Amino acid sequence: MKILFVASGSPATVFALAPLATAARNAGHDVFMGAVEDMVPYIASAGIPALSIAPSSIRRYATMDREGNPVRMPETPEEELDFAGHWFGRMAAGSMDALREVTANWRPDLVVGGSMSFAAALIAAELGVPYVRQAWDTGDAWRTDPAASDELRPELRALGLDRLPDPALFVDICPPSLRPADAPPAQMMRWVPANGQRRLEPWMYTKGNRPRILVTSGSRLVFAKKTGFLRGLVADMAALDAEVVIATLDEVAEELRTELPGVRAGWVPLDVVVPTCDVVVHHAGGVTALTAMNAGVPQLIVPQGGNFVEAGLRISDFGAAITVDENTPEAVEKACGELIGNPSYAERARELSAEIAALPLPAEVVGALEGLV
């Protein structure tokens, strides 16, 4: 069986799909994964045949309409969802020519797309093959679908559709306790970390004497080399006498280490380092949150916008995280101290870890994919 996976414009979207794609390859199926040009090295590093299906810069899709006119930036969470639906829709439209060229020579039996990889739904409909949608994280990405359908009106009209088609199967990786009440029916799957790797050093898998706090702004902001968020958080935690690890690009790590003596900074394998941590501090990133939940580590969530904010609040409501409303030094320091000093957060985080471990492995879900064809 030939399976085409479609990721998107950040490393996290590749990392999320890689476990199921790898399981399908290990089961003997032919697998390709496509994404924007910048993500091709991440796909290839996961051992998956990689396709470039759109130009390298996703900024154009996020900041300009199809005619090249600037778009208004969102100001509220509701507008953020619509905004995401529209720009991911534009990315899907911009990917179709390359996908048609690929599938004219390599026709898949099944297409698997990430949460907002709307091109997967379109190309599957054109080819008349089953379409599977896999969640990237625990966010409510299906709420972006109406805006994406609106953006993709020309493409849908050509297919005789008035909205994006429903998937033949939805694969969800959210711990059951955190699934929203209105979440669609799903084939549940255990989330397995598939982040980028590098040569290990002893400190990465060894816990020191002081509390260890990992700080990251996620793959998208890190990939854009935006480090102000990281600098601010590290400064906010200076009084905690903790060991701080900044997960970021190696290209900016040297500058951060110079400015912040005693801080470890660089691209680290999160699946190795996070289990040695007492707290993970992040921007409300879906894959980062799943990595912490998988390891049973409490989280401090400092939202920077995006559709994962509500999902982050569900982790806080469960008692495995704290979400701060205001990104101030006092709020960050107090929250970190509470997460380290109160064992209830770690206990609740371990409960989520156990839920994740009990879900079907990607290898088991491959059987559900086979059953669609």
Side-chain angles (χ1 to χ4, degrees), residues 16-100:
L17 295 179
L20 184 56
T22 300
R25 277 172 59 81
N26 290 343
H29 299 296
D30 295 328
V31 171
F32 286 178
M33 185 183 292
V36 300
E37 173 66 27
D38 284 348
M39 295 302 106
V40 168
Y42 292 89
I43 300 173
S45 70
I48 301 167
L51 296 168
S52 174
I53 59 173
S56 59
S57 175
I58 63 173
R59 180 175 176 80
R60 183 186 186 284
Y61 302 115
T63 60
M64 292 185 285
D65 63 20
R66 296 199 191 195
E67 287 71 45
N69 301 310
V71 296
R72 187 178 68 86
M73 294 294 107
E75 298 178 359
T76 67
E78 293 76 17
E79 289 183 349
E80 176 76 27
L81 289 171
D82 287 345
F83 179 78
H86 277 283
W87 83 262
F88 275 99
R90 289 191 289 273
M91 181 183 292
S95 304
M96 293 305 295
D97 286 345
L99 286 173
R100 291 185 185 110

Side-chain angles (χ1 to χ4, degrees), residues 75-148:
E75 298 178 359
T76 67
E78 293 76 17
E79 289 183 349
E80 176 76 27
L81 289 171
D82 287 345
F83 179 78
H86 277 283
W87 83 262
F88 275 99
R90 289 191 289 273
M91 181 183 292
S95 304
M96 293 305 295
D97 286 345
L99 286 173
R100 291 185 185 110
E101 184 177 350
V102 168
T103 56
N105 299 293
W106 190 87
R107 181 183 174 88
D109 302 292
L110 177 73
V111 180
V112 181
S115 296
M116 289 182 280
S117 297
F118 300 118
L122 294 177
I123 196 65
E126 285 193 12
L127 297 173
V129 301
Y131 156 58
V132 174
R133 179 169 177 161
Q134 189 208 301
W136 285 329
D137 49 43
T138 61
D140 308 336
W142 62 86
R143 295 179 182 173
T144 64
D145 287 13

Side-chain angles (χ1 to χ4, degrees), residues 317-334:
D317 291 342
F318 187 81
I322 293 176
T323 299
V324 295
D325 296 325
E326 296 183 8
N327 183 8
T328 64
E330 295 78 16
V332 170
E333 181 182 339
K334 179 180 178 182

Side-chain angles (χ1 to χ4, degrees), residues 274-280 291-299 320 345-346 349-350:
V274 167
T276 71
C277 296
D278 297 276
V279 177
V280 173
T291 302
M293 286 187 278
N294 185 67
V297 175
Q299 305 173 50
Y345 292 100
R350 286 192 291 269

Side-chain angles (χ1 to χ4, degrees), residues 170-195:
F170 172 51
V171 179
D172 199 359
I173 55 178
C174 183
S177 292
L178 301 184
R179 291 198 89 213
D182 61 345
Q187 163 67 59
M188 301 303 296
M189 184 176 77
R190 178 175 177 175
W191 185 79
V192 179
N195 47 256

